[in-house]
Amino acid sequence: MRLLPALLALAAARPLACADSHWCYDIQAKASNYACLVMVLLEDEASVTGGGLAARYRAKQMHLHWSEELDKGSEHTLNGVRYAMEMHIVHEKEKGTSRSEKEAQDPKDEIAVLAFLVEAGSEKNDGFQPLVEALSYVPRPKMNTTMNDSISLLDLLPKKETLRHYFRYLGSLTTPGCEEKVVWTVFQERIQLHKDQIAAFSTKLYYDSEQKLKMTDNVRPLQRQGQRLVFKSQAPGQLLPLPLPTLLVPMLTCLLAGFLA
């Protein structure tokens, strides 16, 4: 990898509120203090290694950020462009897999997040459609559903041959309490969803049980890059040392309430 000029705006640094207090997005604060932790659990069935990562990481959960506006839903920008949504696959470092004792003790990379930007396309994304359809069954907090058709993470990602192009930097979580312990991998290739699929997340999900406050604009504001270095992959081969089907195999079957944060 080589050092890249600041093409990537970072979603890292300070939280909107103290880590030990309840934390919410700006849209929630305007109405009430509704909970905003929602996600899809991956049950440790997938892992990732290589591509410059210092250890093996085990997948824990997947979530998305979005907005009703197609250019305000991502937490990263590329060349100043913000996208409709952003999908994060969150991994935790496996003990005993670091390349050195020093790396094993380094708290700056306890978490590895694979980030995928989502833009509006002209066609429906069939891989995402079961997820979109299931939203109607979990509109309010503390609800869950089982999808009729299980889907693989691979159904949600861009074609594997495009995943060798990515950005890498050390930063923070973008949800409470925004700890500085994340190695970010932001892929250059975007996921495309039809605008109606994107709109479904803002129209079918709610922060509150009364369904008065739409779950939208769950996006952390862009943060200053500061002294962080951003790298870009230049590898002629693929990002990961093993074929993606080997690494990303979990089936998503259960959606948790308010599920995607």
Side-chain angles (χ1 to χ4, degrees), residues 5 23 96 124 151 166 169 190 192 196 202 206 232:
W23 186 97
K124 182 178 72 174
I151 58 176
Y166 60 95
Y169 72 96
R190 270 82 73 190
Q192 291 199 348
D196 292 341
S202 293
Y206 294 83
K232 182 179 180 181

Side-chain angles (χ1 to χ4, degrees), residues 234-256:
Q234 293 293 316
Q238 57 188 12
L239 163 66
L240 305 174
L242 297 174
L244 278 173
T246 304
L247 296 169
L248 300 176
V249 295
M251 305 303 287
L252 307 181
T253 59
C254 182
L255 299 187
L256 302 182

Side-chain angles (χ1 to χ4, degrees), residues 44-60 90-100 103-104 106 109-114 168 183 240-250:
D44 294 343
E45 293 186 21
S47 64
V48 62
T49 188
L53 295 175
R56 177 179 292 276
Y57 292 81
R58 183 67 57 179
K60 295 296 182 179
V90 182
H91 304 70
E92 291 183 1
K93 183 190 290 186
E94 287 189 358
K95 294 182 179 180
T97 63
S98 296
R99 293 188 297 235
S100 69
E103 289 173 342
D106 188 356
D109 65 351
E110 289 181 9
I111 304 294
V113 179
L114 305 184
R168 171 70 52 72
V183 52
L240 305 174
L242 297 174
L244 278 173
T246 304
L247 296 169
L248 300 176
V249 295

